[in-house]
Amino acid sequence: MTVTVHEAGRALADPTAYADEHRLHESLALLRREAPVHWVEAPGYNPFWAVTRHADVMAVERDHGLFRNEPRPLLATAQFDAINRQRAEEGTGLRTLVHMDDPDHRVVRAIGADWFRPKAMRALRPRVRELARRYVDRMAELDGECDFAADIAVHFPLYVILSLLGLPESDFPRMLKLTQELFGGADEELRRGVSPEEQLAALLDFFAYFQRLTAARRAEPTEDLASAIANARVDGEPLSDLDAASYYVIIATAGHDTTSSTISGGLHALIEHPDQLARLRNDLGLMPFAADEMIRWVTPVKEFMRTAEADTEVGGVPVRAGESVLLSYPSANRDEGVFDDPFRFDVGRDPNRHLAFGFGVHYCLGAALARMEIQEFFAELLPRLRSVELAGEPELTATTFVGGLKHLPIRYTLA
């Protein structure tokens, strides 16, 4: 069935479209070709401009003074937009780095920046390698068949990021459930409930947990990222409980779900492209390129929103002050004008100008950690992997924000 431009635009506000890659990429390719900056009016959503070409996404990200994160940092229903505005006015809304603009963004981002610099990554690498080995060993214990997404990929990055925060392993299963509920609000299998109140309850549970953590780290500081956040000061004042909890939420969630989706999607891509699997297994020196190709291929963050501060234009299309633009990262990362044969999975792709980590001042704080986790996991897995194939139908999460494979049944042999 031929998709119209109107239908293609609406797909960006349809969680089920992201669970159907053929439909999604057919829609995005049509928009890039015929309406790269397209006005979308979708039922249940406030309207927005869909920005689908790589150059236009970069231009918006680059001009962070003109295009602001507040008051609409990501796509949500009109009902959720109203709730979020009310909570912001009351001072009870989530205020992560995703929600902030400069100067607040610059100051708050600096609190955790040192924990993701090269020196910190070198210190963390042995722990990441140990956890990668633990989860490949776990695959070996599962007798040659598992749901890789649910049994392996969802746990490994969570353990890494919660180790960085300094949380006890006994709390990890609870964090996994809360993370899945927070990002899985559009997925019937993962969400806590259907109403905004039920879905916001997961966020409030996060807050309650991290408020207790803040109090504990202030009473007894430790050498971990949680303590650095709890004891940070801005203009001489400690972070409010809400701002501290918001910081933990973005670290714990963004540092987990995105990487687990990339590892699952990366293995799926290797299974679907056995020539690339053989190529990478025979030359592990390609691992840095392969990791970035997996990130481009999966693009776990589907969109962010920006709102124009003044009348302007994007890609030659007038955008008025107060109108919002949706930056489509899956589309930018398949842009035929930037990537040679963008629908080919290539573990040696170089250059690879993907925008999966964003661009400009909001570039992902944990990009180096994500790359290291992906590289270390596959460097541990591939030398031991003798064979691998699908053992059922892979399933993608229904989402409009963050997601990837939630089920990847595989059959394999390990050395």
Side-chain angles (χ1 to χ4, degrees):
M1 186 176 70
T2 303
V3 177
T4 67
V5 168
H6 178 69
E7 291 167 337
R10 284 189 167 192
L12 291 167
D14 181 355
T16 66
Y18 292 89
D20 181 348
E21 286 195 310
H22 175 77
R23 176 189 168 197
L24 177 69
H25 285 298
E26 181 183 23
S27 297
L28 295 177
L30 177 64
L31 290 172
R32 285 194 303 275
R33 189 169 61 248
E34 296 190 14
V37 182
H38 174 65
W39 185 247
V40 177
E41 295 183 3
Y45 290 84
N46 293 316
F48 59 90
W49 291 100
V51 180
T52 51
R53 282 186 184 164
H54 188 282
D56 294 332
V57 171
M58 283 185 68
V60 171
E61 295 248 38
R62 186 181 286 117
D63 200 344
H64 61 275
L66 177 59
F67 289 99
R68 310 287 280 175
N69 285 33
E70 291 185 314
R72 196 181 179 189
L74 51 92
L75 184 65
T77 63
Q79 185 180 18
F80 264 106
D81 278 343
I83 291 171
N84 289 335
R85 275 197 305 274
Q86 180 182 343
R87 289 173 67 87
E89 290 167 3
E90 295 169 348
T92 59
L94 189 67
R95 283 188 81 243
T96 72
L97 293 174
V98 168
H99 297 76
M100 293 181 182
D101 295 294
D102 283 344
D104 289 353
H105 174 267
R106 181 175 61 253
V107 173
V108 174
R109 181 184 172 97
I111 292 168
D114 284 348
W115 289 81
F116 297 94
R117 296 196 199 282
K119 181 181 178 181
M121 291 299 96
R122 286 193 295 273
L124 188 60
R125 189 177 288 272
R127 172 65 170 161
V128 173
R129 191 168 291 158
E130 171 202 332
L131 287 168
R133 187 172 301 117
R134 179 193 299 187
Y135 278 97
V136 176
D137 288 344
R138 176 65 182 144
M139 288 179 68
E141 293 167 2
L142 292 172
D143 294 327
E145 195 161 327
C146 73
D147 181 341
F148 180 79
D151 297 333
I152 305 298
V154 81
H155 298 284
F156 163 62
L158 181 70
Y159 269 50
V160 171
I161 200 68
L162 297 185
S163 295
L164 185 66
L165 280 167
L167 304 191
E169 286 199 12
S170 57
D171 288 357
F172 289 8
R174 184 179 179 196
M175 287 294 102
L176 172 60
K177 187 171 189 299
L178 287 171
T179 300
Q180 290 180 321
E181 288 177 342
L182 198 63
F183 281 153
D187 190 284
E188 291 182 2
E189 181 181 344
L190 300 177
R191 67 189 178 196
R192 179 177 295 197
V194 295
S195 72
E197 292 75 20
E198 287 173 311
Q199 293 180 32
L200 284 170
L203 183 59
L204 295 177
D205 283 353
F206 252 122
F207 276 177
Y209 177 91
F210 286 120
Q211 282 173 339
R212 290 192 296 272
L213 180 66
T214 298
R217 289 297 192 273
R218 285 175 178 169
E220 295 184 27
T222 53
E223 297 295 321
D224 54 38
L225 178 54
S227 191
I229 294 168
N231 294 288
R233 290 185 171 267
V234 175
D235 296 330
E237 296 295 323
L239 293 177
S240 69
D241 283 353
L242 180 64
D243 282 351
S246 294
Y247 213 124
Y248 294 129
V249 167
I250 197 66
I251 296 291
T253 55
H256 161 233
D257 228 51
T258 52
T259 309
S260 64
S261 292
T262 302
I263 290 172
S264 291
L267 182 61
H268 186 214
L270 291 172
I271 292 170
E272 295 284 278
H273 301 83
D275 60 322
Q276 297 300 303
L277 172 58
R279 182 184 175 197
L280 183 56
R281 189 160 46 188
N282 292 334
D283 183 4
L284 293 179
L286 290 173
M287 195 62 74
F289 302 106
D292 264 297
E293 180 69 342
M294 292 174 186
I295 294 162
R296 180 190 77 89
W297 194 253
V298 174
T299 310
V301 177
K302 310 308 178 189
E303 51 81 15
F304 279 121
M305 305 281 286
R306 301 286 188 266
T307 299
E309 283 279 284
D311 290 354
T312 184
E313 63 176 48
V314 177
V317 176
V319 174
R320 291 182 296 182
E323 291 181 341
S324 297
V325 297
L326 178 146
L327 307 178
S328 177
Y329 298 111
S331 182
N333 286 344
R334 293 294 199 283
D335 190 329
E336 299 82 357
V338 174
F339 299 96
D340 180 34
D341 197 358
F343 288 91
R344 174 173 55 87
F345 180 74
D346 178 1
V347 297
R349 185 179 291 276
D350 184 31
N352 190 341
R353 296 172 56 210
H354 72 76
L355 296 178
F357 292 125
F359 186 75
V361 298
H362 290 283
Y363 185 79
C364 176
L365 187 64
L369 176 60
R371 286 185 169 107
M372 181 171 70
E373 290 176 85
I374 296 162
Q375 292 176 36
E376 289 294 338
F377 183 84
F378 284 100
E380 186 66 34
L381 173 64
L382 294 186
R384 297 171 60 179
L385 189 66
R386 293 292 170 262
S387 67
V388 62
E389 63 183 9
L390 294 179
E393 192 66 29
E395 288 183 56
L396 289 156
T397 303
T399 185
T400 58
F401 181 33
V402 171
L405 287 167
K406 60 179 179 178
H407 297 296
L408 181 63
I410 60 170
R411 193 175 297 113
Y412 53 90
T413 54
L414 291 179

